[in-house]
Amino acid sequence: MNVTNAVLPSSDQLQQFFDTTEDGPFVMINLLKFREKADYPDGSPDGGDAHLSGAEAYARYGKAVGAHVEAVGGKMGYAGRITGLMIGEVEQLWDMVALAQYPSLTAMQAMITNPDYQAIARHREAGLAGQLNIKTRGAAL
């Protein structure tokens, strides 16, 4: 099994993810790996806090994203630090796991294309070294 962390999906990944007949609620599992130091493209985040760690930059995103998820009918679930691995092997553990439930792919797509969401996503991109987003179906949160 090859595992590759990425911050943004490729255009092919986006097309495959959203271009499906499957509809209805799903939960997204987010496995997150933070940068040691936040990396903002313009050199400094809002307020000139160039000293932020990746986790601190992502926390800015985390504080605001719940309202965007709820605005499209979704809800935030569990979030926590990853502290160990019981089964299997990976070179390096992710730092955090977060769950978010969406009512549909259309709702998620509406959220991520909303300019207000995109304004906060800069903190996500500055803070993350990589992530895995895993779509699941099953029981609600």
Side-chain angles (χ1 to χ4, degrees):
M1 175 187 291
N2 180 27
V3 177
T4 303
N5 272 335
V7 175
L8 298 170
S10 69
S11 57
D12 286 344
Q13 287 173 316
L14 277 175
Q15 183 175 356
Q16 288 175 357
F17 186 81
F18 287 111
D19 196 17
T20 180
T21 58
E22 181 183 325
D23 200 13
F26 65 96
V27 172
M28 186 69 81
I29 301 170
N30 302 276
L31 296 174
L32 309 169
K33 186 69 179 169
F34 301 123
R35 298 177 193 267
E36 189 172 320
K37 182 173 170 45
D39 182 18
Y40 286 89
D42 62 3
S44 66
D46 299 336
D49 293 325
H51 64 281
L52 291 176
S53 69
E56 290 167 329
Y58 188 86
R60 287 183 171 198
Y61 168 79
K63 187 174 179 179
V65 73
H68 293 277
V69 172
E70 290 172 10
V72 296
K75 61 182 172 178
M76 298 301 293
Y78 173 82
R81 282 186 317 113
I82 294 175
T83 60
L85 179 68
M86 183 174 158
I87 298 175
E89 289 183 36
V90 293
E91 277 188 37
Q92 198 174 41
L93 282 177
W94 289 270
D95 296 317
M96 184 177 177
V97 62
L99 306 178
Q101 181 176 317
Y102 297 92
S104 66
L105 287 169
T106 303
M108 182 185 187
Q109 192 169 31
M111 182 189 83
I112 66 174
T113 58
N114 181 312
D116 292 336
Y117 169 82
Q118 291 174 356
I120 67 159
R122 66 189 304 269
H123 299 298
R124 177 188 155 281
E125 293 169 24
L128 287 176
Q131 67 179 349
L132 294 180
N133 291 148
I134 303 166
K135 180 182 171 210
T136 68
R137 292 185 65 98
L141 295 176

